[in-house]
Amino acid sequence: MSTIAFIGLGNMGLPMAKNLAKAGHRVIGVDVSEANLAAAAEAGLERGASAGDAAAEADVVVTMLPAGPHVRGVYLGEGGVVARAKPGTLFIDSSTVDVETARAVETAATGKGFLMLDAPVSGGVGGAAAGTLTFMVGGSDAAFEKAKPVLEAMGKTIVHAGGPGTGQAAKICNNMVLGISMAAVSEAFALADKLGLDRQKLFDISSKSSGQCWALTSYCPVPGPVPTSPANRDYQPGFAVDMMLKDLKLAQQAAHAAGAATPLGAQAAALYQMLSSSGRGNLDFSAIFTMLRGA
Ligand code: NAD
């Protein structure tokens, strides 16, 4: 069993860290929020004084931080993880960040002889608690093999996507599909309303026709057809509008940098920005239906 420094004990990080402890690892938790540290202590995790201090004791460092600047700061800042970790330590960044940050931090870490993976997740807070996350992993074969048992304690599906940054690439490509398809399904329901077509009838037909997709059949944006979808509880998340917006912006940033044409991704980013700007950033992203319906 390993000693694991877990940095970032928020909505996702705390349940992930708990699953590592449950699997028998020694987990040293670090966060800048006193409330989150208290919750971690209550769950029986050790408390690290700082990211650097925890990394100095660890075989593996896992980070679950809000965004790219936090990840750069924790790894590359003065007295940070790269400066303090023991030789041979494995770093796993599971935050969702831009591809450029993932590659820059990996280059700095491997340049000092460490192993590093970008390993963002899908599955949300529920998947984090249940230990059923999907990990999309970018980095070397050696790092992946070493990380696998650690990731398996937190997730069910672990896919090695390729070299450094490809885990983040997979995450933003997947979420771009989701953002666009949720807008498309919502547009169809809004049109159906105006045409006098019953919502359940559209669902029954489309879910068995070529319009079938996850946004329709697992996460339907109108109340009724899929009882578990956030539409049935006033669009309480789930996966918030502002989180989807963050991922769509990362996709646009990557597309600009790589010279890729993503016109629908750009349109989706604009739509979720409008939804957020209208004060609905904390609702579930399927609330895009309410905006397209004119509410
Ligand atoms: P969160 O804001 O709840 O947690 C982030 C934690 O990092 C907070 O506790 C914060 O205090 C801590 N933190 C910030 N700066 C720090 C620093 N310098 N040192 C130590 N701790 C620091 O966010 P979350 O929902 O847990 O998401 C974390 C990451 O996972 C994000 O990148 C997000 O995009 C991604 N993600 C979230 C979900 C989800 O459903 N919540 C799903 C998939 C991916």
Side-chain angles (χ1 to χ4, degrees):
M1 287 299 144
S2 306
T3 297
I4 300 177
F6 201 109
I7 302 163
L9 301 164
N11 293 322
M12 295 291 288
L14 180 56
M16 290 165 72
K18 281 193 206 172
N19 281 329
L20 289 173
K22 210 160 81 186
H25 298 289
R26 177 185 170 213
V27 181
I28 307 172
V30 178
D31 202 291
V32 291
S33 148
E34 199 45 55
N36 291 356
L37 279 171
E42 207 164 296
L45 303 184
E46 276 182 53
R47 178 185 179 133
S50 70
D53 282 351
E57 283 195 58
D59 312 305
V60 179
V61 177
V62 181
T63 43
M64 195 53 171
L65 296 160
H70 309 84
V71 170
R72 281 182 194 261
V74 163
Y75 281 98
L76 307 180
E78 208 179 311
V81 168
V82 169
R84 298 283 311 281
K86 295 180 294 196
T89 304
L90 166 68
F91 303 154
I92 303 172
D93 179 34
S94 285
S95 329
T96 302
V97 306
D98 55 290
V99 176
E100 210 183 316
T101 292
R103 291 187 170 148
V105 176
E106 195 268 354
T107 299
T110 54
K112 300 262 184 211
F114 297 108
L115 292 171
M116 175 145 200
L117 296 169
D118 51 292
V121 302
S122 172
V125 175
T132 56
L133 293 169
T134 295
F135 283 90
M136 311 156 213
V137 189
S140 68
D141 290 344
F144 183 73
E145 286 313 315
K146 193 166 175 189
K148 235 175 144 192
V150 175
L151 298 177
E152 280 167 353
M154 301 183 283
K156 199 166 73 174
T157 306
I158 323 284
V159 182
H160 192 187
T166 55
Q168 297 296 349
K171 172 80 185 168
I172 58 177
C173 287
N174 179 73
N175 280 17
M176 188 172 79
V177 172
L178 178 59
I180 294 168
S181 57
M182 185 56 80
V185 169
S186 296
E187 232 173 66
F189 274 109
L191 176 61
D193 278 359
K194 297 254 189 280
L195 297 177
L197 169 62
D198 181 69
R199 291 174 179 179
Q200 184 66 48
K201 294 290 179 200
L202 174 60
F203 179 86
D204 293 345
I205 293 161
S206 232
S207 61
K208 298 280 181 259
S209 303
S210 45
Q212 190 279 330
C213 63
W214 188 90
L216 176 70
T217 53
S218 293
Y219 215 84
C220 190
V222 298
V226 177
T228 52
S229 77
N232 298 287
R233 37 174 214 271
D234 294 328
Y235 299 97
Q236 289 312 301
F239 185 52
V241 169
D242 283 343
M243 299 274 256
M244 173 54 83
L245 182 57
K246 172 192 165 190
D247 291 355
L248 288 170
K249 285 178 174 170
L250 290 176
Q252 285 306 290
Q253 191 182 330
H256 287 308
T262 52
L264 294 177
Q267 190 61 52
L271 286 169
Y272 289 98
Q273 180 66 68
M274 284 165 67
L275 189 56
S276 176
S277 302
S278 73
R280 286 173 272 192
N282 291 330
L283 293 184
D284 187 80
F285 79 112
S286 57
I288 191 147
F289 170 73
T290 60
M291 186 176 81
L292 293 168
R293 181 69 179 80

